[in-house]
Amino acid sequence: MTPGRRMSVIRSPGAVRRRVRSWKARGERVVFVPTMGAFHEGHLRLLRRARRLGDRVVVSIFVNPTQFGPGEDYRRYPRNTARDLRLARAEGADLCFTPPVEAMYPPGGGTEIHVTALESLWEGASRPGHFAGVALVVTKLLHITEPDVLILGQKDAQQAVVLQTLIRDLDLPVRVVREPTAREPDGLARSSRNVYLSPDDRRAAPVLWRALLAARAVVASGERSAARVRARLRKTLAAEPRVHLDYAAVVDAVTLREVRTLRGRILIAVAARLGTTRLIDNLEIRVKDPVR
Ligand code: AMP
């Protein structure tokens, strides 16, 4: 599968389904990467991973209105489909699905999907309705593209946990693979929203990553109290006055519930506002039994 070969750009869900089924009928393995476009290195890594994992790579570009709250940036979310298509083609994608909103949400729709146990925590508390929108659009995209493998970014760790739960709960026949977070040289997680940052806020933003590293170092030195790791996160973030903390969480990486003692897979996650831009970042660690 040589990068640069012909990529189809398809707007109709039915045409995507037919194309994918023709590939699968030949025994080809289909890997799907859902995105909202405005590609950066993070998206490209997902596409490269997809290329390695399967015979056919399907990518979707759809700025999904149902996952944005009323006061959020749906209208001004960065869009640059021509550039995205060039990049997807160069990464060897076979099909790019770019549905119009009316194709995904025809009038008269009345179904919601709630991953109830997870949707009001953390990101969900700050963005009511966000994960119901994500769950709905990804369920629809999985039904349209019928992939063997779904690639998600660790950058949006809670989104990945919500979707993995949904896929398991609804017996959707797809394997989920998570790609590590792509970062700028100074550690800032790549995000389509980084372009909103003022120069001063951009300079301040890597403190999120530094706080995560500081928290990890505390754990590596033997600390097993989640409260003390949270305190370290907050202290590091407080040193940067431009950063307005939303949450600093130390949670079980599967249930996303706060823990008291660190053990097993732990997710350290932060969200903060800089100016009008909200940034998130996280680090997953594996913790051995409590040090006695
Ligand atoms: P988005 O276009 O922001 O909806 O993201 C599409 C996919 O790319 C999601 O699975 C994200 O988690 C993933 N993604 C976004 N930013 C990054 C990043 N910096 N590193 C890795 N994956 C990312």
Side-chain angles (χ1 to χ4, degrees):
M1 308 293 151
T2 9
R5 71 185 177 168
R6 209 175 148 64
M7 178 181 80
S8 304
V9 181
I10 304 184
R11 289 166 64 80
S12 142
V16 169
R17 190 179 283 119
R18 284 193 294 280
R19 180 70 57 88
V20 171
R21 285 186 177 177
S22 76
W23 290 333
K24 291 177 81 175
R26 299 205 294 256
E28 293 183 317
R29 190 177 157 82
V30 175
V31 188
F32 176 48
V33 181
T35 82
M36 297 206 301
F39 286 171
H40 50 67
E41 179 63 21
H43 297 107
L44 303 186
R45 292 217 193 147
L46 267 58
L47 290 173
R48 281 172 213 147
R49 183 82 175 267
R51 189 69 279 160
R52 291 197 298 276
L53 286 176
D55 303 303
R56 297 286 179 175
V57 174
V58 178
V59 57
S60 63
I61 300 177
F62 181 61
V63 183
N64 173 38
T66 65
Q67 71 188 68
F68 289 80
E72 292 187 356
D73 56 346
Y74 173 64
R75 279 182 194 290
R76 70 169 187 143
Y77 193 83
R79 291 165 171 87
N80 194 342
T81 309
R83 175 175 176 273
D84 291 343
L85 293 178
R86 277 200 304 280
L87 291 168
R89 196 171 280 125
E91 294 300 340
D94 295 278
L95 192 169
C96 185
F97 180 39
T98 56
V101 172
E102 317 77 71
M104 292 298 282
Y105 298 112
T111 302
E112 293 189 354
I113 300 182
H114 294 282
V115 182
T116 321
L118 301 168
E119 70 176 6
S120 335
L121 303 173
W122 312 114
E123 281 305 284
S126 303
R127 307 183 65 189
H130 172 67
F131 287 116
V134 169
L136 180 61
V137 77
V138 174
T139 303
K140 288 167 71 73
L141 290 168
L142 290 174
H143 282 300
I144 293 165
T145 62
E146 298 180 343
D148 299 292
V149 182
L150 169 68
I151 312 235
L152 300 171
Q154 178 65 23
K155 160 78 177 10
D156 299 280
Q158 185 174 2
Q159 171 171 280
V161 175
V162 165
L163 292 174
Q164 283 179 294
T165 303
L166 169 112
I167 285 164
R168 196 195 56 216
D169 289 351
L170 299 184
D171 304 297
L172 301 181
V174 63
R175 181 164 78 89
V176 176
V177 168
R178 283 199 219 180
E179 175 66 19
T181 302
R183 299 180 178 281
E184 302 285 351
D186 62 9
L188 176 64
R190 306 238 182 196
S191 164
S192 306
R193 292 190 168 98
N194 289 351
V195 297
Y196 300 152
L197 293 168
S198 71
D200 284 343
D201 288 335
R202 174 64 189 82
R203 275 191 285 280
V207 74
L208 270 67
W209 176 233
R210 287 203 302 279
L212 293 170
L213 291 180
R216 184 171 70 183
V218 170
V219 180
S221 71
E223 182 60 74
R224 294 294 178 268
S225 150
R228 283 201 279 273
V229 176
R230 265 178 226 119
R232 170 52 67 93
L233 271 177
R234 288 177 179 281
K235 190 172 166 213
T236 311
L237 291 162
E240 181 46 77
R242 305 188 76 85
V243 168
H244 303 278
L245 184 63
D246 183 350
Y247 60 77
V250 178
V251 299
D252 180 283
V254 176
T255 64
L256 302 182
R257 299 280 168 182
E258 284 195 317
V259 293
R260 284 166 65 91
T261 304
L262 304 184
R263 179 180 292 154
R265 281 176 62 195
I266 296 290
L267 185 72
I268 309 175
V270 292
R273 198 171 45 72
L274 284 91
T276 55
T277 308
R278 199 165 166 282
L279 298 180
I280 58 172
D281 201 352
N282 71 82
L283 192 55
E284 189 177 312
I285 55 174
R286 271 176 201 277
V287 183
K288 295 188 210 83
D289 279 343
V291 179
R292 275 170 238 286

